Amino acid sequence: VAFMSASQDVVIDAYRTDLLPAAERGLGSSLNVLGYRLAMIVSGGLALIWTDPQQGGGWSWPEVYRFMAGVMVAAAVVSALLLPRLTNANAAVAKTDARHDLIGFFALLAAVAVGALLTDRAITPLARALLPAAPKWADLLALLAGIAITLPLAAFAARRARFETLLSGLANYFAQPGAAAFLAFIVLYKLGDAFAGSLMTPFLLKSMAYAPAEVGVVNKVIGLWLTIGGALVGGALMLELGLWRSLFLFGLLQMASNLGFWWLAVNGKGVLPGLTIPAFDWGFVKLAAATPVDGGLLMVIAFENLSGGMGTAAFVAFLMSLCNQRFTATQYALLSAFASVGRVWVGPLAGVLAASIGWPSFFIVSTLAALPALWMLWWMRGSVRSLEVDASMAGAADD
């Protein structure tokens, strides 16, 4: 599932980047955020309500996943029939040897499989033997060591197999000034947000003891409109603020949203007056009985969704600005992979930290984790501002 999802993301991201001119990237990325968050709401929030036997529909998980499969089939049909086609003007594809690319792809896949197998069979047992009293830290150490081994192994396999699409795309990206600094910023920008978000559901359900239907309604159903509003407002503001100022302002708001979870962890439930969501049945989702909603939960989730939507809209526009259209798929895949480091790989570390230092301190750490990215953004402000100009338009103006 992860492999197919990542493959689909590569195609969608490259298509969007090739289709949109620089002036439309902010609004285009905000609509991308809208669709992504809609999918998260359906799969992560509405599913909780559907499966809640008391307050929701009481569906079984097989029923939920059959419905999800139907949604994906419908989306595939719409994509095949209705999306505009790219023209040669906005799809300058690099010419490479298809045979070498195919061999290189499977060589890369084999290298990753060898790295994963080595991590599971050799590195993890060794780490647990070295740290028998701290199994979570041992697993985290094994994960990091496995990545450190797998990445060079994959690079070696790609070079040996002459995987030109990948190698040429990477060479083109790293030839631009500030390429390494951009990658470091990409990893760091959503890091604080990823720390808090990776454990949001366990925190709300287990530590704060909110009911599943209450979390689903607030975090996903109400959060739907707030995220849509945040993404669209963020895209609109980018037309006035530009890329650099949008990244900085929205990054500050993202960082501040983590303090909301700290406040909730310190003060608990019932501090702010709440409201009651009446029972409803919209066909695709229903709430069997009126559900009380805590005011503190509503405030914190509202701020998190608004700021997260705005920050992600600016961030996606930034990734699009870094891509050369001859290598869009390769370069965007590279950039989004680095962007996912925070979202995917901080999970084990976040769990260890929360268990070790407690929830209030954990959310303070997640807030501080956002500061390095903001410092880098200030330091790179000239380079980021230069990305706001469409290179093709600038060349036409010079002519």
Side-chain angles (χ1 to χ4, degrees), residues 133-332:
K136 291 184 178 180
W137 286 105
D139 289 345
L140 179 61
L141 177 63
L143 175 65
L144 296 176
I147 295 173
I149 291 174
T150 303
L151 288 180
L153 187 63
F156 173 78
R159 286 194 299 268
R160 292 287 296 176
R162 291 190 289 174
F163 193 176
E164 290 301 325
T165 294
L166 176 64
L167 297 176
S168 299
L170 294 180
N172 177 270
Y173 172 78
F174 284 104
Q176 67 177 310
F182 283 141
L183 285 183
F185 171 74
I186 287 169
V187 173
L188 294 173
Y189 186 70
K190 299 293 284 185
L191 191 62
D193 204 36
F195 259 105
S198 64
L199 295 180
M200 183 190 302
T201 300
F203 168 67
L204 296 177
L205 292 178
K206 297 182 178 180
S207 178
M208 299 301 297
Y210 289 115
E214 183 178 8
V215 172
V217 167
V218 174
N219 194 26
K220 304 301 179 181
V221 177
I222 297 177
L224 162 66
W225 304 108
L226 297 171
T227 304
I228 290 174
L232 295 180
V233 168
L237 285 176
M238 287 186 67
L239 296 175
E240 297 294 329
L241 295 175
L243 182 60
W244 181 82
R245 286 190 292 176
S246 297
L247 284 168
F248 197 85
L249 175 61
F250 301 161
L252 285 173
L253 293 176
Q254 283 181 161
M255 182 177 71
S257 70
N258 286 355
L259 293 176
F261 291 102
W262 167 82
W263 177 87
L264 197 62
V266 170
N267 293 279
K269 296 190 292 186
V271 176
L272 297 180
L275 53 87
T276 299
I277 304 295
F280 60 85
D281 188 349
W282 297 343
F284 67 94
V285 61
K286 71 175 183 178
L287 200 61
T291 300
V293 172
D294 180 62
L297 174 66
L298 185 60
M299 178 192 72
V300 170
I301 294 300
F303 188 25
E304 193 274 337
N305 278 276
L306 283 169
S307 62
M310 296 168 74
T312 306
F315 187 59
V316 171
F318 172 69
L319 298 185
M320 294 166 66
S321 300
L322 291 175
C323 293
N324 183 311
Q325 285 194 324
R326 292 185 65 231
F327 307 100
T328 308
T330 300
Q331 292 183 352
Y332 201 100

Side-chain angles (χ1 to χ4, degrees), residues 112 115-128 131 135-152 340-352:
V112 172
L117 187 64
L118 194 63
T119 302
D120 182 61
R121 301 294 175 87
I123 300 176
T124 299
L126 178 61
R128 288 176 177 174
L131 299 171
K136 291 184 178 180
W137 286 105
D139 289 345
L140 179 61
L141 177 63
L143 175 65
L144 296 176
I147 295 173
I149 291 174
T150 303
L151 288 180
S340 70
V341 168
R343 187 176 68 252
V344 176
W345 299 112
V346 303
L349 178 59
V352 171

